[in-house]
Amino acid sequence: MTQLRLLGFAGSLRKGSLNRSALRAATELAPQGTTIETYDLDDIPLYNGDLDVDGGPPPVRDFKERITKVDGLLIVTPEYNYSIPGVLKNALDWASRPAYESPLAHKPVAFFGASMSPIGTARAQSQLKHVLLGTLSEVFPYPEVLVGAAHKKFDESGIVTDPTTGQFIGKLLGAYSDWLASRR
């Protein structure tokens, strides 16, 4: 079996965010044969077309290079004001350049999210899907994972304390890994 490599990132800059915890949990729940390298979006500057020369600033070039080298992406998104956070949209805007030939073009992407809200990140995930379709990314369709009341489901170190949440994340990662392997 060939090893699958994923790049995972959370759409939050806060070190103690629920979505960073969910991403840490995902790295532990990845099925055998799949590894998730995590990436922090902290150093990516605000998108500025004037700086979009030769692949952009060094942190942007690094981000794009990492996207290019993996089999797929795993995005863990919070929901801010019924949408995806600006930091996540900004990172995707950078990674989507040059248009139609970016590292995101035809890159498989799965995502889920965690929120204190009882409906999790349903609206943010819907909007994220639209953004990714605009980048020509290939969005993994199923299963959707909406971690509601997430503050009760992870401990401070990112360990899933709710068995059902762990099962949902594990099911997503297993199905995504199978989908990626079938595409080779």
Side-chain angles (χ1 to χ4, degrees):
M1 178 177 180
T2 305
Q3 182 75 20
L4 293 171
R5 294 181 52 229
L6 306 179
L7 182 67
F9 50 94
S12 176
L13 298 179
R14 195 169 62 82
K15 296 295 180 206
S17 84
L18 293 169
N19 287 277
R20 284 185 181 231
S21 292
L23 178 59
R24 281 192 296 277
T27 64
E28 298 296 321
L29 294 167
Q32 185 174 5
T34 300
T35 58
I36 303 171
E37 172 191 350
T38 61
Y39 189 86
D40 292 332
L41 302 177
D42 303 49
D43 295 330
I44 297 183
L46 291 175
Y47 182 79
N48 178 341
D50 292 339
L51 302 177
D52 194 3
V53 178
D54 297 326
V60 171
R61 288 193 310 268
D62 177 58
F63 183 50
K64 289 179 179 183
E65 184 176 314
R66 289 175 189 241
I67 291 171
T68 301
K69 290 182 177 181
V70 295
D71 299 300
L73 301 179
L74 177 66
I75 301 173
V76 187
T77 185
E79 181 169 302
Y80 295 170
N81 298 319
Y82 293 11
S83 188
I84 62 174
V87 67
L88 177 56
K89 177 67 165 71
N90 179 66
L92 294 173
D93 286 345
W94 272 114
S96 72
R97 313 311 306 157
Y100 310 110
E101 299 172 12
S102 78
L104 292 176
H106 309 292
K107 183 63 66 173
V109 183
F111 50 83
F112 73 103
S115 172
M116 292 173 65
S117 163
I119 64 167
T121 58
R123 294 169 290 221
Q125 289 188 45
S126 176
Q127 297 217 346
L128 179 55
K129 190 177 298 183
H130 286 280
V131 170
L132 292 168
L133 291 172
T135 67
L136 301 180
S137 298
E138 297 181 15
V139 176
F140 179 63
Y142 174 83
E144 291 184 331
V145 175
L146 308 165
V147 183
H151 58 292
K152 299 177 183 177
K153 297 177 179 173
F154 298 94
D155 69 14
E156 293 176 5
S157 62
I159 303 298
V160 177
T161 57
D162 175 57
T164 303
T165 298
Q167 290 171 358
F168 284 135
I169 294 170
K171 182 178 178 182
L172 168 69
L173 295 170
Y176 184 46
S177 294
D178 290 345
W179 185 63
L180 290 172
S182 74
R183 298 162 50 92
R184 289 187 159 182

